[in-house]
Amino acid sequence: MSRLIGNGRLGREAHDETSNLSHTELAPLDVNGDPRRHADSDRNIQSGYNGSTTPDREELPSAPTKPHRYPFESQSEDIFPEGGLRAWLVVLGSFSGMLASFGLMNTVGTFQAYLSTHQLVNESPSAVGWIFGIYVFLAFGCGLQIGPIFDRKGPRWLVVGGTVCLVVSMIGVSQSTRFWHFILTFSILGGVGTSLIFTPAVGAIAHFFSRRRGAATGLAATGGSFGGIIFPLALQALFPKVGFAWSVRILALIFLILLIIANLLIRTRLPPKVGSNVWPDFRIFGDVTFALTTAGVFFIEWGLFVPLSFISSYALANGVDEAFSYQLLAVLNASSVFGRVVPGYVADRLGRFNTMIMAVALCLISTLGIWLNIGGNIAGLCAFAVLFGFGSGSNISLTPVCVGQLCDPEVFGRWYGTMYTIVSIGCLTGIPIAGEILARNEGDFWGLIVFTGLSYAAGLMCFTTARILKVGWKLTAVY
């Protein structure tokens, strides 16, 4: 009898161990798609833990692991759909949201040129620059709080709030006539609305893509480029026909339609990070690579919005006709469409930081090598617009991909928002500094162009240093 009892006990224990192993190996995901339970199970297997307080008789073999495409990916690829109807609908929703939000951001040059010669003709270039500097500052700086809220609560109410803010902003701009009117409507309301939309639009993609994240994010980011093509040309055609007020109201209606689509399609997949809260955490700057990446993006954004804001004014000041001066911004944004898509695919194969370094180098060369010396030459202006547009387009689309490479997707919003809290200071001051340099040089643009070039040179140094810290000087390393 004792022998039978003993054999029964041993049989039950062996059955428990076998069941535990089979369950772990055959169920890589929990019902919510959370990879953390799978990771915990792997660790339990490797340590021989079977859920009881007594040690196992012999250590169980660890489950086989899949090889990773990149050394920086800490989670197996099967936890991300990497496609499918739901994932691509999220990309479509993000595209629609960025078509409105980043489209407005890429149209600031048209507003700057028009307001400087109409409603705010008596204001200095530096003063007018503050309108758009504050707008960009809030568009990125509000991510400090919006990012963690996105991680904890999801995108729904953030995108709803952004829709209300952006549409009401454009209606207010249509009625504005004085400097402080534009600060309230365009800068503050428009900036907050843009941040409420684009932060969830970028963050949601990270929940569905890992290996193909660069391509998916780049595809969604082309929405901003298409907006930068469509809206300046539309406003240029509408201003003389229906006036400033109705032109901007039509823009508000277009935004409303686009943002309804964004509200319907932008969704997340992964559950909130356990123990997460809605407050930012500056301790993440203890990661040196992340700190250098943040500094690099700061300097890039410091210079990025100077050409976007002043390219039309530059052309007008150098004798180019008004129609082509406005169209030049559309040419730049058309080139940035390819600059957001192509580098995304390249980054997934050659490395995200590698591709960002090449794109920043292209912006630096086109700024100091072409823009500094072209004057009113039409061919030179087109060449600069095409090259800078291509390079700067990837600045926008690759930044969230580089951040996503440094953190888990469940905390992407916190990392991205915290980064842009610092970066937004550069966005706030870049355009006014450029305007002040322009005023000090009595309308000569050379100082403004050199400022842009030096900003890109500093950004290039930061990204290169971050890459060296991770993979050394090996040029063929994918990172």
Side-chain angles (χ1 to χ4, degrees), residues 180-453:
W180 66 270
H181 294 169
F182 290 103
I183 291 290
L184 291 176
T185 56
F186 196 103
S187 303
I188 297 177
L189 201 55
V192 173
T194 297
S195 188
L196 285 167
I197 293 165
F198 99 84
T199 302
V202 171
I205 295 174
H207 283 234
F208 292 86
F209 296 89
S210 176
R211 179 173 52 84
R212 303 171 66 185
R213 187 177 298 165
T217 304
L219 187 62
T222 59
S225 297
F226 280 114
I229 300 168
I230 297 168
F231 300 148
L233 294 178
L235 291 174
Q236 178 195 354
L238 289 170
F239 283 155
K241 295 180 180 179
V242 298
F244 178 83
W246 273 106
S247 299
V248 180
R249 289 174 191 145
I250 292 172
L251 197 63
L253 178 60
I254 296 173
F255 285 176
L256 178 61
I257 296 171
L258 292 171
L259 294 175
I260 288 174
I261 297 173
N263 275 274
L264 294 175
L265 297 182
I266 295 177
R267 293 290 183 270
T268 54
R269 181 182 66 91
L270 299 175
K273 187 77 172 179
V274 175
S276 65
N277 57 60
V278 298
W279 300 108
D281 187 358
F282 287 100
R283 291 175 298 178
I284 60 179
F285 286 115
D287 184 323
V288 178
T289 304
F290 178 72
L292 284 169
T293 302
T294 300
V297 177
F298 173 93
F299 287 117
I300 290 170
E301 302 279 355
W302 214 15
L304 169 63
F305 290 98
V306 176
L308 292 177
S309 299
F310 288 96
I311 186 66
S312 296
S313 299
Y314 174 86
L316 288 169
N318 283 277
V320 179
D321 66 89
E322 183 177 355
F324 183 76
S325 297
Y326 285 110
Q327 292 167 5
L328 198 59
L329 182 61
V331 172
L332 190 153
N333 284 311
S335 180
S336 74
V337 172
F338 300 97
R340 299 188 188 204
V341 174
V342 176
Y345 283 97
V346 173
D348 288 337
R349 289 155 179 79
L350 300 183
R352 287 79 185 261
F353 276 74
N354 293 344
T355 309
M356 176 67 93
I357 289 170
M358 291 187 286
V360 174
L362 178 60
C363 292
L364 173 61
I365 293 169
S366 62
T367 299
L368 297 182
I370 300 178
W371 193 21
L372 186 60
N373 304 300
I374 55 176
N377 183 279
I378 300 297
L381 284 169
C382 289
F384 168 73
V386 170
L387 291 176
F388 185 85
F390 185 87
S392 63
S394 60
N395 299 162
I396 298 294
S397 62
L398 290 181
T399 296
V401 181
C402 289
V403 175
Q405 180 171 314
L406 302 175
C407 68
D408 292 329
E410 298 96 329
V411 294
F412 173 84
R414 182 184 304 278
W415 283 57
Y416 192 65
T418 304
M419 164 186 276
Y420 266 100
T421 302
I422 306 300
V423 172
S424 62
I425 298 173
C427 299
L428 171 67
T429 57
I431 299 174
I433 288 175
E436 186 61 28
I437 292 173
L438 182 63
R440 294 291 181 92
N441 288 333
E442 299 178 351
D444 195 328
F445 281 79
W446 74 267
L448 176 152
I449 297 170
V450 170
F451 169 75
T452 304

Side-chain angles (χ1 to χ4, degrees), residues 65-76:
T65 58
K66 293 182 179 180
H68 298 304
R69 182 179 180 87
Y70 300 112
F72 51 77
E73 290 179 342
S74 60
Q75 298 164 324
S76 61

Side-chain angles (χ1 to χ4, degrees), residues 102-130:
F102 269 10
L104 176 62
M105 187 176 292
N106 288 332
T107 311
V108 295
T110 300
F111 280 100
Q112 193 273 343
Y114 188 90
L115 296 179
S116 296
T117 56
H118 292 80
Q119 291 96 321
L120 304 179
V121 66
N122 295 321
E123 301 287 346
S124 68
S126 179
V128 176
W130 278 109

